[in-house]
Amino acid sequence: MSRSAAAAETVPVPRAGRLTATSPTILLGRVLGNAFLVLGVFLTAMPFVYMITASFKPGGELYSIPFSIWPKSLYLGNYELLFGQTSFVRWFANSVFVSLTRTVLAIFLALMAGYAFAKFDFRFKNVLFLLVLGTLTLPIYVLIVPLYDMMIQLDWIDSYWSLIIPFGAQAIGVFLARQHLLSIPNELLEAARIDGAGEWSIFQRIILPLATPVVAVMAILFFTASWRDYIWPLIVLTDDAKFTVSLGLPSLIGPYRQEYGAVMAGSFLSTVPIVAVFLVMQRRFIEGIMAGAVKG
Amino acid sequence: MSAHETGEGSKTLIGGQAVSRRTLLKTGVWLAGMSLLAACGQPGAQPSGGGAAPTTAPAAAAPTTAPAAKPTTAAAAAPTTAPAGAAAAPTQAPATTGAAATLEFWAFANERLGFVKDAVQAHPELTINYRVFPYQEMHDKLLAAVTSGRGAPDIVDVEISRFGGFLKGDTVPFVPLNDKIGTDLDSLYQSAATDPWSWKGKIYGVGNELNCCLLAYRKDVMSDLGVPTPFNAWTDVIAAGKKVVAAGKSKLFALHDLHFGDYYILTQSAGSQLFDENGAFVGDNDAGVSAMQWLQDQVYKEQIAGIAPADAQNMWNGPAYWAAFKAEQFVGTFGPPWHIGVWMANVPDQAGKWAVQPLPKGIGAGKPTASFGGTGQCIPTQSKNPDAAWQVIKLANFSKEGALSDFKSRTVYPAFKPAYDLPELKAPNAYFSGANFGEIYSTVAPTLTPFRQSPGWPDASDAVNRLVITPVMQNQKDAKSALNEAKTEIQKTMSGG
Amino acid sequence: MQAESTLAGVRPARPRHLARTFTPYLFILPFFTIQAVFLLYPVVSALFLSFYQATGVGARKFIGLGNYVSLVQDPRYLHALLNTTEYALGSILILSPLALLIALAVRSFIVPSDNARSLYRLAYFMPQLTSFVVIALMFALVFDKDYGLLNNSLAGFGLPKIGWLRETSLAMPSVIMVSIWTFVGINSLYFLAGLQNIPHEINEAAAIDGAGRLQGFWYVTLPMLRPTLLFVIIQATIFSYQVFDLPYLLTGGGPSDASLTVVIYLYQAGFQQFKLGYAAAIGYSLGIISIVLSLIQLRVFRRWSEV
């Protein structure tokens, strides 16, 4: 069974009595489909290309006539500025630390809660779920001042705690996890219970592995949301040494001087390691999913 | 069948792969740990060789135009070592002058810290933690701090257009400085130094910039066209502009359609302000209307001006703006030193070709100058060291050393009158064809229309941008009706609507 | 699985029944603890604030529903609501279907290999990694009238230079374009994850039964995607109504409020004009609108699944 499932991922299944694997319709579909996807990739990539080439241009060249994507020559001043006059490496390390920790925490909490909402019936379930959804609907700017006040009282100003803990509970994650775990057959869980498995063991050995796709998405979502976070870290952090990349780079754009090239350089550089990790992890996830995410 | 364990509880299986989750978690923790180590490494540890600007303090790297490698003085100390410590004032008893104190100083531009650092250099007992945040957000932080009653710094740079908001409500969250300033008030050009941070007779902040506006133009272009300079009246300027346009390459002015600055400058030259002594909006009076209408006419009727390249992040100037001037699409402008002065950095190849003069006559009262912009240092009431904080402000703003330092680093002309005796401030400026800015400014400064601050300033500037500047400069409305509309809205919001 | 054999038999009374009653609460406890500790105070505090006129530092005057009454009569608020709804519609009607299309395409036979699949995933993930400030910077450069990538490329085709972010009629559509660019990736990832839950055998079975590709999608795949669809639509709605960073950074809400969104207006009222009570009311009005819309969507989806 798994063999054909694996095969189904990559090779079109011959449909009995209809289309064959090499029919012109399929080929046309392939061409058009790929064209569509490639166009999407191109449109997505263009601004990035622009950003990367901008990082090799001196400030004046960014806005110049005649227009040119490519830099006149490889200008390294922006990178020198970035490494020589800012705490860029420190910012990057801070970002990684904060984002990773927050992500791991958020995934666990969201999975557990999502599981409960998906697979259990309990009193207040609907009310609580609506509450979860409800918290998503208030814009951060409404909550920022009282939340800031709390951070001061806890003495968490200028500390990573204020970046990690309050946002460890990600309602969107609970919602996402619930939707996913809904499709796990109840019989699976019942059988395990009858077998004598404890609830935590069920969670660990049945739910977790089956939740791999949603964990992957949550990881991306939480990590990138934390990476990008701007206004909250700005409100609670004062020490430059604790700034994240997303906080530090915009500070290169001030009322008297705008170092766009350096911002682009920093943004480009900070995505490179993340992308590398993403590619490596993707392999793993894909292998995992490919090999056996088949439910019986 | 799929994910059923095969015994060892520590491993989770996904099909045949006995790895995914654990290894991922381990990798994640390892990465987190590594970066934790990196992040918690020696405070102030600098990447690569950059010993240049002190980066433990301000966040931004934007180098000051002064020699950047100023050694960190005791003033620009290491970040607070207290783990997860509250950012606010230290635990020492309130300091008196001369006693040691640690102060928190918030600013939105690194460039504005240079002269402070220089001024306090001789006072190692004052330890100042300089924090720089982006312009908008620094004021947001300040608001959060004063509203919640906690976390405000000891000294904060409040920009002129953001100060008004803090005057709303029952209490002004800044310490009144009248007594502290005392008779020294006479040594300042009050219009620039204290009026903008004053309300109902109390002074809450001190600014150090004398932002007198002047007209600047390409002298070489004018002489090529046979235009006599300097200009006496705006009508002469317009005539010159027509010749410029006729030459085919450039327009004269780049007028802004996203920011109220041009209108504000000309309104003052016409003899008025945006607000009266009671904080009511009067920008729609004759002076304001004539100023605004004049601006629209230059673009659409006289056609000697174009719309300045700008966007939401760079409403006044920015890379696109400088590119336009570099490409000689425009050959004239008017504004304060922080506007004209940066020509030297941004359009260096036109050195020696520009000239400056006071504003010409012809709009309203025809005053030779106006004031635009500025930042004042204020002491939040939450500060536990107001006296030490005042000492810093006094050293920075009431001294020739402070004035000279800011002049050298930002070409800022001080609001501190005695500084104009300094030879550096009397030196001719080569970029602007030998103009003696110091002399010009000190001559025109006394004619400044007194500045009127108002709690409605943020409401007004925003309303004017939206309802007046953009529609009028995009030729969708005339100045009078737009200003009337703005006035109605401003009155509504100011009365609590 | 041997377990099945005992199903029919007598089930011994186990203490696990009790454990099972408590289990869900234990599972949601960590999440709700953090929410209760950190969100309860701000949420309630903001609610109370919305009933006060709290302008500037100090003064607080209780005015009941006064802020809300002003809101519904405030032309700027209503204009912002209209703009935000336009944005939300763009998100639901353009962004989400596009993301679904991409997810389907990436997962299907169209993509020949897993490497290509990885590449596509990466491409769509990249915008998610970039902070809004940088995205706005990039697109300010792309959209710039004279110096931008877009206009200069279009000029190659003889088209005129357009002020994308400077014309009142184009500002919001340009913001929507940037938003699509930014968010299509993560939404495709949502759909991809959802599609991964649907075993291929079901589609094979349908195909063997004679169903065409389109029918297979409509009658088999789509219904099984329902939970994911619900998620995508609801979160698209909720987050669209809260949109702030992109329009604020790209246009500041202008020109002349052309791209003013509700949260931009909230920010201006609260942090620039210091009308904190009014700002809180704006925030809560948004919350109410989002919850109502979400409830409607939940109901619609429930109906759909019952059909």
Side-chain angles (χ1 to χ4, degrees):
Chain A
M1 210 175 186
S2 46
R3 214 180 105 251
S4 73
E9 281 282 341
T10 50
V11 172
V13 174
R15 267 129 173 90
R18 283 218 152 210
L19 308 165
T20 63
T22 51
S23 89
T25 319
I26 292 222
L27 279 176
L28 184 68
R30 258 208 165 136
V31 167
L32 283 180
N34 272 296
F36 163 71
L37 286 175
V38 168
L39 178 68
V41 172
F42 175 76
L43 288 175
T44 305
M46 259 331 276
F48 283 111
V49 171
Y50 200 27
M51 166 174 93
I52 297 172
T53 59
S55 72
F56 290 107
K57 295 181 187 173
E61 207 182 305
L62 271 179
Y63 288 79
S64 60
I65 294 173
F67 171 83
S68 160
I69 295 188
W70 306 107
K72 295 201 178 98
S73 63
L74 219 66
Y75 172 74
L76 292 177
N78 293 318
Y79 289 89
E80 282 166 10
L81 197 158
L82 197 65
F83 285 104
Q85 292 178 33
T86 71
S87 319
F88 177 66
V89 177
R90 180 61 140 317
W91 295 342
F92 181 80
N94 293 340
S95 278
V96 172
F97 170 64
V98 169
S99 301
L100 265 179
T101 321
R102 189 165 127 176
T103 303
V104 170
L105 177 64
I107 289 180
F108 268 116
L109 297 189
L111 259 184
M112 283 168 50
Y115 170 53
F117 279 114
K119 289 292 155 200
F120 288 88
D121 268 317
F122 51 98
R123 208 140 54 114
F124 304 126
K125 175 163 109 155
N126 288 325
V127 172
L128 285 175
F129 187 67
L130 275 181
L131 210 65
V132 166
L133 273 190
T135 57
L136 284 177
T137 63
L138 285 176
I140 181 85
Y141 280 102
V142 158
L143 308 172
I144 238 178
V145 175
L147 201 53
Y148 167 82
D149 196 15
M150 284 179 72
M151 295 299 113
I152 296 224
Q153 306 227 32
L154 287 170
D155 222 18
W156 279 3
I157 290 291
D158 219 18
S159 150
Y160 293 127
W161 291 124
S162 55
L163 295 183
I164 296 171
I165 306 291
F167 296 97
Q170 289 281 337
I172 190 75
V174 174
F175 189 13
L176 184 58
R178 170 189 185 264
Q179 299 305 95
H180 263 270
L181 298 176
L182 277 176
S183 54
I184 294 181
N186 291 337
E187 298 78 48
L188 206 57
L189 306 175
E190 279 303 323
R193 283 186 189 120
I194 286 160
D195 251 357
E199 291 298 335
W200 183 254
S201 142
I202 292 181
F203 179 72
Q204 214 185 336
R205 293 168 187 171
I206 301 184
I207 303 294
L208 280 190
L210 287 178
T212 311
V214 77
V215 167
V217 177
M218 280 202 284
I220 291 176
L221 180 65
F222 296 154
F223 187 85
T224 55
S226 173
W227 190 268
R228 273 174 162 168
D229 207 3
Y230 179 63
I231 188 64
W232 179 245
L234 189 139
I235 293 274
V236 296
L237 293 178
T238 51
D239 185 5
D240 168 68
K242 296 208 174 67
F243 278 16
T244 59
V245 170
S246 293
L247 197 51
L249 287 181
S251 60
L252 295 174
I253 302 173
Y256 303 115
R257 191 152 173 145
Q258 297 97 11
E259 300 286 350
Y260 285 171
V263 174
M264 301 299 198
S267 193
F268 165 52
L269 282 183
S270 52
T271 50
V272 169
I274 309 295
V275 166
V277 170
F278 173 76
L279 284 174
V280 165
M281 304 229 301
Q282 255 222 132
R283 274 258 138 253
R284 288 258 162 85
F285 276 124
I286 291 177
E287 283 162 16
I289 291 158
M290 273 276 297
V294 176
K295 290 182 279 296
Chain B
M1 195 196 145
S2 61
H4 215 53
E5 52 83 34
T6 53
E8 313 135 81
S10 57
K11 282 208 181 146
T12 21
L13 303 182
I14 298 184
Q17 293 288 88
V19 116
S20 300
R21 261 203 95 63
R22 279 310 144 110
T23 321
L24 289 165
L25 275 175
K26 276 198 266 185
T27 321
V29 171
W30 177 83
L31 267 174
M34 286 293 107
S35 41
L36 176 57
L37 284 178
C40 294
Q42 312 93 308
Q46 277 315 298
S48 62
T55 51
T56 53
T64 60
T65 50
K70 286 214 171 63
T72 48
T73 62
T80 48
T81 49
T91 49
Q92 291 122 322
T96 53
T97 322
T102 306
L103 303 171
E104 286 281 307
F105 190 126
W106 287 6
F108 55 84
N110 193 20
E111 295 87 343
R112 269 194 58 87
L113 295 176
F115 76 98
V116 179
K117 293 179 187 170
D118 280 348
V120 299
Q121 226 173 352
H123 290 260
E125 78 276 9
L126 294 171
T127 306
I128 309 182
N129 293 323
Y130 299 95
R131 316 286 188 194
V132 179
F133 308 103
Y135 168 74
Q136 198 94 274
E137 287 81 1
M138 189 219 78
H139 293 92
D140 296 343
K141 263 176 94 82
L142 184 60
L143 173 65
V146 301
T147 318
S148 65
R150 289 174 256 262
D154 296 290
I155 311 173
V156 59
D157 260 0
V158 184
E159 213 255 351
I160 194 174
S161 57
R162 299 301 295 266
F163 180 74
F166 291 98
L167 300 176
K168 295 186 179 183
D170 291 341
T171 27
V172 179
F174 301 115
V175 174
L177 304 174
N178 303 58
D179 297 330
K180 295 188 183 353
I181 298 176
T183 47
D184 284 339
L185 194 56
D186 299 325
S187 65
L188 300 175
Y189 285 111
Q190 288 174 44
S191 238
T194 52
D195 283 351
W197 294 276
S198 305
W199 182 240
K200 298 204 168 134
K202 296 207 182 115
I203 301 173
Y204 295 103
V206 180
N208 77 319
E209 302 168 13
L210 181 64
N211 286 318
C212 287
C213 299
L214 300 176
L215 173 70
Y217 55 90
R218 285 280 298 275
K219 192 167 175 154
D220 61 326
V221 170
M222 295 303 162
S223 56
D224 285 347
L225 292 169
V227 172
T229 56
F231 300 103
N232 183 32
W234 283 110
T235 40
D236 303 319
V237 176
I238 295 174
K242 294 204 165 147
K243 286 198 178 147
V244 169
V245 173
K249 181 176 177 193
S250 329
K251 294 213 163 166
L252 182 53
F253 291 125
L255 298 179
H256 298 88
D257 69 335
L258 292 181
H259 194 283
F260 67 101
D262 296 324
Y263 150 76
Y264 180 50
I265 293 173
L266 293 181
T267 303
Q268 289 178 69
S269 175
S272 177
Q273 276 277 352
L274 287 194
F275 290 92
D276 64 16
E277 316 80 58
N278 303 315
F281 180 75
V282 294
D284 65 327
N285 58 14
D286 289 338
V289 171
S290 46
M292 196 63 227
Q293 193 56 51
W294 187 91
L295 288 166
Q296 186 188 51
D297 289 344
Q298 300 323 304
V299 179
Y300 297 101
K301 197 167 114 203
E302 312 285 359
Q303 300 190 345
I304 60 156
I307 299 292
D311 59 50
Q313 297 305 307
N314 300 294
M315 297 201 289
W316 185 255
N317 59 23
Y321 185 85
W322 302 121
F325 274 92
K326 270 196 269 212
E328 296 186 311
Q329 289 179 358
F330 305 102
V331 294
T333 188
F334 49 91
W338 54 262
H339 174 66
I340 296 184
V342 291
W343 247 259
M344 300 191 281
N346 288 308
V347 196
D349 41 307
Q350 291 175 12
K353 299 184 181 175
W354 285 79
V356 288
Q357 63 162 83
L359 300 176
K361 302 198 204 348
I363 303 179
K367 289 191 165 188
T369 194
S371 176
F372 182 30
T375 307
Q377 293 170 349
C378 307
I379 305 177
T381 45
Q382 286 174 34
S383 168
K384 297 200 175 60
N385 282 293
D387 294 316
W390 168 247
Q391 205 193 355
V392 174
I393 295 181
K394 182 168 173 151
L395 286 168
N397 295 283
F398 289 87
S399 70
K400 287 187 181 176
E401 293 74 33
L404 184 60
S405 168
D406 213 14
F407 174 75
K408 282 195 178 149
S409 71
R410 295 193 299 147
T411 326
V412 159
Y413 284 82
F416 182 59
K417 291 177 188 168
Y420 285 87
D421 296 332
L422 291 167
E424 291 88 341
L425 267 71
K426 298 202 224 192
N429 186 305
Y431 189 98
F432 288 95
S433 309
N436 189 333
F437 279 102
E439 198 181 295
I440 302 178
Y441 286 141
S442 46
T443 315
V444 296
T447 68
L448 283 171
T449 326
F451 183 94
R452 305 276 180 226
Q453 186 54 275
S454 167
W457 192 274
D459 312 55
S461 52
D462 176 62
V464 167
N465 283 344
R466 264 187 300 119
L467 298 172
V468 180
I469 307 297
T470 306
V472 171
M473 295 312 285
Q474 292 187 355
N475 210 19
Q476 293 159 6
K477 279 194 207 154
D478 69 287
K480 192 163 174 68
S481 48
L483 279 165
N484 283 337
E485 206 180 308
K487 178 168 186 160
T488 318
E489 165 144 343
I490 294 170
Q491 282 175 333
K492 207 171 70 172
T493 61
M494 277 178 69
S495 69
Chain C
M1 294 249 293
Q2 320 93 299
E4 274 137 83
S5 60
T6 64
L7 255 179
V10 173
R11 206 172 299 179
R14 292 179 190 275
R16 279 202 183 80
H17 266 291
L18 274 177
R20 241 227 286 163
T21 329
F22 285 123
T23 311
Y25 294 107
L26 290 175
F27 271 101
I28 65 174
L29 192 64
F31 174 81
F32 273 103
T33 308
I34 292 195
Q35 282 234 310
V37 169
F38 291 99
L39 274 195
L40 193 65
Y41 170 61
V43 166
V44 171
S45 158
L47 182 63
F48 273 102
L49 193 57
S50 74
F51 297 129
Y52 283 79
Q53 183 179 61
T55 302
V57 184
R60 246 140 251 215
K61 193 172 82 171
F62 181 76
I63 53 170
L65 291 176
N67 282 326
Y68 293 95
V69 171
S70 310
L71 264 186
V72 295
Q73 298 168 353
D74 183 344
R76 278 193 85 198
Y77 173 78
L78 296 171
H79 184 66
L81 198 53
L82 200 67
N83 286 342
T84 313
T85 306
E86 183 185 336
Y87 178 88
L89 284 175
S91 193
I92 299 175
L93 299 178
I94 305 178
L95 175 60
S96 307
L98 190 61
L100 177 57
L101 211 59
I102 290 174
L104 287 171
V106 168
R107 190 169 142 80
S108 76
F109 68 95
I110 291 180
V111 179
S113 76
D114 283 318
N115 284 325
R117 224 176 289 255
S118 283
L119 212 65
Y120 284 126
R121 255 186 261 252
L122 174 64
Y124 295 122
F125 156 69
M126 287 291 292
Q128 186 70 5
L129 202 49
T130 319
S131 70
F132 288 120
V133 176
V134 177
I135 291 179
L137 211 67
M138 292 198 296
F139 276 94
L141 274 174
V142 167
F143 280 136
D144 192 275
K145 187 165 176 191
D146 295 305
Y147 307 97
L149 179 58
L150 187 58
N151 276 342
N152 281 287
S153 313
L154 289 179
F157 293 102
L159 293 162
K161 290 195 172 179
I162 306 174
W164 298 96
L165 296 170
R166 306 277 261 109
E167 309 260 344
T168 43
S169 52
L170 289 176
M172 203 40 156
S174 303
V175 169
I176 293 178
M177 272 201 277
V178 178
S179 146
I180 291 178
W181 180 91
T182 310
F183 293 114
V184 76
I186 186 71
N187 280 286
S188 328
L189 287 178
Y190 291 145
F191 281 121
L192 270 172
L195 287 171
Q196 265 150 15
N197 262 355
I198 304 174
H200 262 273
E201 299 83 47
I202 293 198
N203 280 314
E204 289 170 33
I208 288 166
D209 268 351
R213 205 171 297 280
L214 210 59
Q215 284 171 307
F217 170 70
W218 193 258
Y219 290 108
V220 176
T221 314
L222 204 55
M224 293 199 70
L225 260 187
R226 203 180 53 89
T228 310
L229 259 174
L230 180 68
F231 172 78
V232 169
I233 301 275
I234 287 191
Q235 62 95 36
T237 310
I238 293 179
F239 291 136
S240 295
Y241 270 92
Q242 288 180 48
V243 69
F244 173 79
D245 301 273
L246 281 178
Y248 186 72
L249 291 167
L250 285 168
T251 59
S256 287
D257 282 355
S259 56
L260 184 74
T261 65
V262 177
V263 181
I264 294 182
Y265 187 47
L266 191 164
Y267 174 76
Q268 286 179 353
F271 284 79
Q272 287 179 357
Q273 295 170 8
F274 290 26
K275 296 182 339 196
L276 293 163
Y278 196 58
I282 296 177
Y284 262 90
S285 76
L286 206 61
I288 294 171
I289 292 173
S290 303
I291 292 185
V292 167
L293 287 175
S294 304
L295 284 174
I296 294 176
Q297 284 159 347
L298 277 168
R299 160 125 331 151
V300 168
F301 270 82
R302 200 158 295 154
R303 282 281 161 76
W304 179 25
S305 74
E306 285 158 18
V307 164

